[in-house]
Amino acid sequence: MSALPEWLTTRDEFAPGKESGAFLRKSANALAFVLRSARYMPERGGFFRFSPPVKLALALVTVLFVSASSNFAFVATIGVVLLSYLATLDARRLARVLTPPLEAFVASVLILAPSLIWGQTRAFWIVPVKTLATTTALSLLASSMNWNRFTCAFKSFGLPNALIFIFDLTLKYVVVFSEICLETFDALRLRSVGRNRRQARSLGAIAGLTFLRAQDAAKDQFDAMTCRCFSCVYRRYRAPFRLLDALGVIFILLETTAFWYFESVV
Amino acid sequence: MFEMKNATYSYDGETTALSALNFTIVQGEAVAITGDNGCGKTTLLRALNGLMSPVVGEYYFDGALIDKRALADASFAKTFHRRIGFVFQNADAQLFCGSVEDEIAFGPRQLDISESDSRRRVDDCLALMRIENLRRRAPYALSGGEKRKVAFAAVLALNPEALVMDEPLENLDASGRELVLDLCRSLKSVGKTLIFATHNESLVSEIADRRMRLERGEIVNIEDVR
């Protein structure tokens, strides 16, 4: 048997100080939130049944037109359409989809509140509504597609393979490294048993190490993909074009017409 | 020392990971947790370390209820964490300092012990794990087996009363495995509680007093192996 040092054979008596450790706890919680979002499994049904390229096109066209529009009626119309759709979702799904847009909406209202002092009421209303509409469109997209569907959809729009590859690896590593980071946070928390005056430094070390690990892992991942016959060429989405997708395309055309009408006629 | 009463754990309140656990582990006991991949061994070790709280039932450590509320008290949480050392399955994720020496000293430097005592603990742990030659190396750049030894040394430096280990022999070569087995025997002989998840039968037969077998998040059998 190994001869243990004397201190390891006795019991330590130690009373920890009053340091709260809230900095570590809050950082770990924030990371856990990101990880939960990244791990989220997409839902099915309704908008969620459109094929990935149609979903992506719908969301991007909505974001583009709402952002570019200077007409409040158009923005409000899109907002009403989105809210009507959201009203058909069950409570759990609605909460998941609507929480990030509402947070963004409240943040934009707070940021723009001073504009009321200068009498800019139009900006005060249109920017938060635009924020709500665009983030809702993106939230619907994010909650209905997982990362590999995104890469297929991108390929359908003719994006270069190199760009899709970077996007693909980035998304994969958001999950992989959030997990490693979270585990390291746990290790740090379990060993932060007294007064740690260098909490920020420890967190910085974790961030630095995660960056180093990311470089190694990205190289290993690429090597593994190459060994499994990956040649940096992504495939297009090849599912048949269905009636539902045709409805999606009709909606895109309607949205384009509405944008043109509200901007040039009204 | 550890007691679970009908404790059920879940991820995000949706997926049940461990259900209705009932067991007691006394001070100085060595318990092996075995079972197929994905049966909940790591989750149980995380639960014992207070990294998860039961959604149903209770978990007690030395008679004190361990739940979110109890661990929200920083002083209580730190005392609890100091008394239990956790060696993670992935040693890479456990190491976050710039050098092996700093890694091992991280814990002792937070305790109310002098710098010389803290240094002595580092030296002793380096010697115990036979990694004196790695003292100035960056943990990130070490091999898997070396990282595992550094992780052990870093946890031992806090002098925990109970050592919880997830696959403690993983990544180790024959001499490393023998070193850890020997260390476990020594720790057990001085009254430390050992709890480990493993697939290694020699570790179970040589160290464990009891074996707890898990299947799909449930304890299917607890047997004496002494």
Side-chain angles (χ1 to χ4, degrees), chain A residues 1-2 5 7-8 10-12 16 19-20 36 184 186 188 190-194 205 209 213 216, chain B residues 12 46 74-75 78-79 81-83 92-96 103 106 110 121 124 140 159 161 182 186 192:
Chain A
M1 283 200 291
S2 313
W7 58 265
L8 198 52
T10 55
R11 187 171 162 168
D12 281 338
E19 196 181 66
S20 73
R36 263 202 305 279
T184 314
D186 284 340
L188 174 63
L190 293 183
R191 282 164 60 201
S192 296
V193 294
L209 275 170
R213 286 173 189 147
D216 289 348
Chain B
D12 299 334
R46 289 176 60 80
S75 176
K78 286 176 178 183
T79 306
H81 290 319
R82 198 202 57 73
R83 295 179 67 189
D92 208 17
Q94 194 172 354
L95 308 174
F96 47 80
E103 193 71 56
F106 182 85
Q110 296 178 48
R121 284 196 180 197
D124 289 340
Y140 161 73
N159 189 18
E161 289 160 45
D182 205 35
S186 304
K192 305 272 186 198

Side-chain angles (χ1 to χ4, degrees), chain A residues 99-112:
Chain A
T99 305
L102 284 177
E103 286 170 354
F105 175 76
V106 171
S108 59
V109 165
L110 291 176
I111 290 166
L112 286 167

Side-chain angles (χ1 to χ4, degrees), chain B residues 15-63:
Chain B
T15 320
T16 301
L18 297 167
S19 50
L21 302 182
N22 284 294
F23 65 84
T24 305
I25 297 171
V26 297
Q27 171 94 45
E29 199 176 12
V31 177
I33 299 164
T34 61
D36 297 338
N37 293 334
C39 68
K41 299 189 291 292
T42 298
T43 309
L44 175 54
L45 298 188
R46 289 176 60 80
L48 288 172
N49 276 281
L51 293 172
M52 296 171 78
S53 294
V55 286
V56 178
E58 291 112 38
Y59 164 40
Y60 295 93
F61 177 75
D62 246 7

Side-chain angles (χ1 to χ4, degrees), chain A residues 107-213:
Chain A
S108 59
V109 165
L110 291 176
I111 290 166
L112 286 167
S115 69
L116 281 177
I117 299 168
W118 306 104
Q120 297 286 343
T121 48
R122 190 172 180 278
F124 179 75
W125 283 114
I126 199 165
V127 175
V129 174
K130 276 185 171 194
T131 307
L132 183 65
T134 51
T135 49
T136 302
L138 290 176
S139 183
L140 271 170
L141 179 72
S143 64
S144 67
M145 284 216 302
N146 52 21
W147 57 268
N148 58 337
R149 294 293 188 188
F150 270 108
T151 55
C152 293
F154 280 145
K155 187 63 188 171
S156 299
F157 291 115
L159 257 71
N161 286 313
L163 201 68
I164 299 173
F165 177 67
I166 292 167
F167 178 77
D168 194 17
L169 278 190
T170 306
L171 281 179
K172 276 178 195 167
Y173 283 108
V174 167
V175 177
V176 173
F177 284 100
S178 298
E179 277 179 344
I180 292 179
C181 240
L182 204 57
E183 216 175 341
T184 314
F185 264 120
D186 284 340
L188 174 63
R189 205 145 49 102
L190 293 183
R191 282 164 60 201
S192 296
V193 294
R195 190 164 179 77
N196 181 4
R197 292 185 182 84
R198 299 176 179 177
Q199 287 187 7
R201 197 170 146 179
S202 302
L203 291 182
I206 291 175
L209 275 170
T210 305
F211 177 71
L212 289 172
R213 286 173 189 147

Side-chain angles (χ1 to χ4, degrees), chain A:
Chain A
M1 283 200 291
S2 313
L4 297 178
E6 192 261 330
W7 58 265
L8 198 52
T9 62
T10 55
R11 187 171 162 168
D12 281 338
E13 293 301 333
F14 166 70
K18 292 203 180 294
E19 196 181 66
S20 73
F23 181 52
L24 279 180
R25 198 173 56 247
K26 283 179 184 169
S27 303
N29 288 346
L31 198 66
F33 175 76
V34 171
L35 186 59
R36 263 202 305 279
S37 311
R39 269 193 191 145
Y40 169 67
M41 294 304 286
E43 310 266 1
R44 294 179 187 283
F47 169 82
F48 306 116
R49 273 187 292 189
F50 286 129
S51 68
V54 174
K55 264 192 273 196
L56 188 61
L58 253 173
L60 293 182
V61 162
T62 303
V63 170
L64 183 72
F65 286 161
V66 169
S67 307
S69 178
S70 56
N71 190 302
F72 187 76
F74 173 76
V75 178
T77 305
I78 296 295
V80 168
V81 172
L82 283 168
L83 287 176
S84 308
Y85 177 70
L86 289 172
T88 66
L89 301 181
D90 63 65
R92 190 181 56 85
R93 195 182 280 191
L94 182 66
R96 205 182 275 275
V97 170
L98 211 51
T99 305
L102 284 177
E103 286 170 354
F105 175 76
V106 171
S108 59
V109 165
L110 291 176
I111 290 166
L112 286 167
S115 69
L116 281 177
I117 299 168
W118 306 104
Q120 297 286 343
T121 48
R122 190 172 180 278
F124 179 75
W125 283 114
I126 199 165
V127 175
V129 174
K130 276 185 171 194
T131 307
L132 183 65
T134 51
T135 49
T136 302
L138 290 176
S139 183
L140 271 170
L141 179 72
S143 64
S144 67
M145 284 216 302
N146 52 21
W147 57 268
N148 58 337
R149 294 293 188 188
F150 270 108
T151 55
C152 293
F154 280 145
K155 187 63 188 171
S156 299
F157 291 115
L159 257 71
N161 286 313
L163 201 68
I164 299 173
F165 177 67
I166 292 167
F167 178 77
D168 194 17
L169 278 190
T170 306
L171 281 179
K172 276 178 195 167
Y173 283 108
V174 167
V175 177
V176 173
F177 284 100
S178 298
E179 277 179 344
I180 292 179
C181 240
L182 204 57
E183 216 175 341
T184 314
F185 264 120
D186 284 340
L188 174 63
R189 205 145 49 102
L190 293 183
R191 282 164 60 201
S192 296
V193 294
R195 190 164 179 77
N196 181 4
R197 292 185 182 84
R198 299 176 179 177
Q199 287 187 7
R201 197 170 146 179
S202 302
L203 291 182
I206 291 175
L209 275 170
T210 305
F211 177 71
L212 289 172
R213 286 173 189 147
Q215 281 189 316
D216 289 348
K219 190 180 170 305
D220 289 347
Q221 172 101 45
F222 180 69
D223 291 346
M225 287 163 86
T226 307
C227 291
R228 285 161 62 194
C229 307
F230 175 74
S231 54
C232 272
V233 177
Y234 286 87
R235 290 165 58 186
R236 282 175 203 279
Y237 184 77
R238 289 191 190 282
F241 192 77
R242 297 163 304 165
L243 182 65
L244 193 70
D245 293 331
L247 283 174
V249 173
I250 290 170
F251 189 81
I252 291 171
L253 291 174
L254 280 174
E255 202 175 335
T256 311
T257 310
F259 176 74
W260 172 81
Y261 176 77
F262 280 108
E263 289 299 314
S264 56
V265 180
V266 178

